[in-house]
Amino acid sequence: MYHGREIARELEVHLPLMWLSGFQKPDFRSINRFRSERMKGLIDDLFREIITLLVADGCVNMEDDFVDGTKIEANANRYTFVWRKSAEKYREKLQVNVDQLIAHIDGIVAEEHAEEFDASPAFTSEEICEKTMEWEERLEAEPDNQALTI
């Protein structure tokens, strides 16, 4: 779950996430701002460390994705040693995969930021204040308070 909107939606309906958030319900803008501005470097480093630990413990495999019905060869093998060079290549490949995933997440956040700015109001607050003042003056000036034309 990478989209800020999806995270915000799940914070309202998914009980474990509600508990983790302290029953707070931030909107997607707050979530994206937090991820992109306040915690960007820390979250990336923490994400890399957690993925590395999960892979080292064997909980996550970043190389293979299997679909139901796929036959998977068992891990039982008489050759249980691992060559150092092989382990280093695997670690480098893991870092590249994590970097690609982080870049993908950053792209999603950037898209949501662009959508947020595209949905900005058509009028600025100054223009609204000016129009309001103009309408109030016209209302006071007209004797029979006819309807305003915009």
Side-chain angles (χ1 to χ4, degrees):
M1 176 175 6
Y2 307 126
H3 293 274
R5 293 176 196 267
E6 186 178 352
I7 293 170
R9 193 175 321 113
E10 289 295 318
L11 282 172
E12 293 181 2
V13 296
H14 196 70
L15 190 59
L17 290 178
M18 290 168 63
W19 181 81
L20 280 174
S21 70
F23 295 96
Q24 296 179 0
K25 298 176 185 173
D27 66 341
F28 75 96
R29 289 180 190 91
S30 300
I31 292 169
N32 287 339
R33 196 175 316 113
F34 178 78
R35 290 193 305 183
S36 64
E37 295 173 8
R38 302 206 49 185
M39 300 297 284
K40 177 63 180 142
L42 181 63
I43 286 178
D44 291 350
D45 293 341
L46 181 64
F47 186 68
R48 282 189 184 90
E49 287 297 319
I50 288 173
I51 293 292
T52 304
L53 288 173
L54 289 173
V55 168
D57 287 346
C59 298
V60 173
N61 182 358
M62 293 292 287
E63 289 184 357
D64 304 317
D65 292 324
F66 295 98
V67 180
D68 290 343
T70 303
K71 293 182 177 31
I72 303 170
E73 185 177 335
N75 288 334
N77 191 351
R78 63 183 174 166
Y79 302 108
T80 57
F81 60 88
V82 177
W83 296 103
R84 179 179 181 174
K85 199 174 212 178
S86 172
E88 289 173 355
K89 284 183 183 178
Y90 179 73
R91 189 174 296 120
E92 289 172 7
K93 190 175 176 183
L94 175 66
Q95 289 299 324
V96 168
N97 287 344
V98 170
D99 290 340
Q100 288 174 347
L101 183 58
I102 289 173
H104 176 69
I105 293 169
D106 290 342
I108 290 171
V109 171
E111 286 176 15
E112 288 186 347
H113 275 298
E115 289 174 8
E116 180 180 336
F117 289 118
D118 288 345
S120 62
F123 300 104
T124 63
S125 60
E126 291 84 18
E127 291 173 337
I128 293 172
C129 287
E130 289 174 9
K131 263 309 186 192
T132 305
M133 296 293 282
E134 178 185 327
W135 291 342
E136 286 177 357
E137 289 172 2
R138 287 176 60 189
L139 277 173
E140 291 173 3
E142 292 182 17
D144 57 356
N145 289 333
Q146 295 178 357
L148 294 175
T149 57
I150 298 175

